[in-house]
Amino acid sequence: MILDCENGKIDLILTKEVSRFARNTIDTLSYTRKLKDLNVNVFFMNDGIDTRDKDSELRLTIMASLAQEESRKISERVKWSMRRQMENGVVLGCGRIYGYKVVDGKLEIVPEEAEIVKDIFHMYLYDGKGSSAIAHELDKRGIPTLKNRVWSPQHVLKILNNEKYVGDLTQWKVYKPNVLSEKVFINHGDNLEAPLITVSNHHDGIISREVWDAVQEERKRRGWLTREGKKHSNSFWLSGTMVCGKCGYSFTMSGSSKNPNISLRCRNRALYGKEKHTALNGEVIGCDAHTVDERIVAAAMKNILEQISTLRPVLEKQMFEEIQNIQLVQKDVDVTPLKEEIAKLENKKHKAIDLMLDDLISKDDLKKQTEIYDNEIARLTEEIARNQDISARHNTQMAEIKKTIEYMQKLSDCNSESKELYRSLLKQIVVPDYKILDIYLNGVPFGFHILYTVKKAPSIGIYDVIIDSCEIIS
């Protein structure tokens, strides 16, 4: 419309009222002045204001201020309503995400897309692939995004970082600082007017909590590699899994990946030598850690799977006994009355906010009253937490024990010597000293302390790895 005015196509604008023309005083005055310079008048029908009148700007300023204040009040009411709905678990501002659709304010799984989401998490965690490799794999399989586009690394990372896939819901991730702002900011949880609202176990998750936690840890690990100037790689089955127990540096591949017998060595030793010394920046560098041949790790992994198969009945018996002990000491506490009291206090807070929005009480009065309610709610919440803490902890312990039993049953059925299998199982390998490995697997809450011996005769091509002992460690 402004462009048409500049081109001389309009000489008079009819507007129902000031609030329909602009939502703040500055815009109202600046545009009416600009239009006046173009010899275009504005007539506000309900308010009886004509910019051709001498007192129009004064009257317009008053009406625009009232319209701006009304807009602010409406915004406050809308925000309050949105916050209540979000706290009650109603999904707002989420039309569609890959794997879910929103039906009546609830997230429902789209089965065929959910399988792709599971594949993405599996490729990232167990296959060790990066976001670019996963995007390329999905494109190669002819799978489009929701908008029928090719996959990008950003698409993959958004899925890996979206808590909805584990069944949680976080809302109000972006916000406007005030009703006049046109800019949208990312919410980091530091805005009291628009707090991040998270509801755990809000809906059916596509992936398990265990996989979600493992993926977030892996993302942190790869992030640290990037910050240290390294790069995550999946070209070798032990890439990014081995750490020096002496200095904390990662182990890197020694030689070519095409070499059938690959060794790994401490990056600290490779860069700074065997002898420890102090660098110019004061950092102690150098490490005397020995190299580790991949065949040693393969032999250790084979032995661990054999040990799990052998010891599984004994470990399962101990775990079931632990579950029975937990069930004996667990006592259920009825916290319903405490929750009902909190609900009443929350209702009183909401009514107080309504009174403030209607200018029946001041903001200071609201602040004092809500502080009283908040203190009492905090006390009741702590009491509920104390009553539920033991029960919740026991339930968590039982769930973890049951998961471990199920996972060990799967591992005991694995008799393969495949390095791809080992890569999917490995969480971390720590090398405390020569001829010692501490190996930790995904989904197992304990580790394996390996002592080994190597017999080799390079001249005649002999290389034997003997596992002297395999002990379970915490």
Side-chain angles (χ1 to χ4, degrees), residues 398-420:
M398 286 194 293
E400 290 298 326
I401 291 172
K402 290 176 180 178
K403 280 184 182 178
T404 301
I405 291 173
E406 292 173 0
Y407 192 68
M408 288 178 60
Q409 289 173 344
K410 293 179 181 178
L411 291 183
S412 64
D413 295 333
C414 297
N415 55 9
S416 172
E417 297 182 21
S418 164
K419 291 177 181 177
E420 287 75 16

Side-chain angles (χ1 to χ4, degrees), residues 326-454:
I326 290 172
Q327 290 173 334
L328 286 174
V329 299
Q330 181 172 324
K331 294 181 179 179
D332 293 328
V333 179
D334 185 12
V335 294
T336 302
L338 298 176
K339 290 182 177 180
E340 290 175 350
E341 187 63 27
I342 289 176
K344 291 178 182 177
L345 291 169
E346 289 286 0
N347 189 40
K348 289 180 179 180
K349 279 178 61 179
H350 299 165
K351 289 181 178 178
I353 292 172
D354 282 337
L355 291 174
M356 188 274 293
L357 292 175
D358 291 332
D359 294 329
L360 297 177
I361 63 172
S362 67
K363 286 187 177 180
D364 290 337
D365 291 336
L366 173 66
K367 184 178 179 181
K368 291 177 184 178
Q369 196 63 36
T370 53
E371 281 180 357
I372 296 173
Y373 295 147
D374 287 338
N375 290 336
E376 183 63 14
I377 288 171
R379 185 189 69 78
L380 293 170
T381 302
E382 288 177 4
E383 189 173 346
I384 290 173
R386 284 195 300 272
N387 291 332
Q388 291 183 329
D389 185 55
I390 296 175
S391 176
R393 186 165 64 247
H394 288 168
N395 289 334
T396 301
Q397 289 172 341
M398 286 194 293
E400 290 298 326
I401 291 172
K402 290 176 180 178
K403 280 184 182 178
T404 301
I405 291 173
E406 292 173 0
Y407 192 68
M408 288 178 60
Q409 289 173 344
K410 293 179 181 178
L411 291 183
S412 64
D413 295 333
C414 297
N415 55 9
S416 172
E417 297 182 21
S418 164
K419 291 177 181 177
E420 287 75 16
L421 171 65
Y422 298 158
R423 175 71 179 99
S424 68
L425 298 177
L426 274 172
K427 183 178 182 181
Q428 189 180 56
I429 302 172
V430 179
V431 186
D433 210 337
Y434 184 49
K435 297 184 178 180
I436 301 174
L437 297 177
D438 289 341
I439 298 178
Y440 301 89
L441 306 182
N442 292 311
V444 179
F446 47 80
F448 301 87
H449 185 68
I450 304 290
L451 301 180
Y452 65 89
T453 304
V454 177

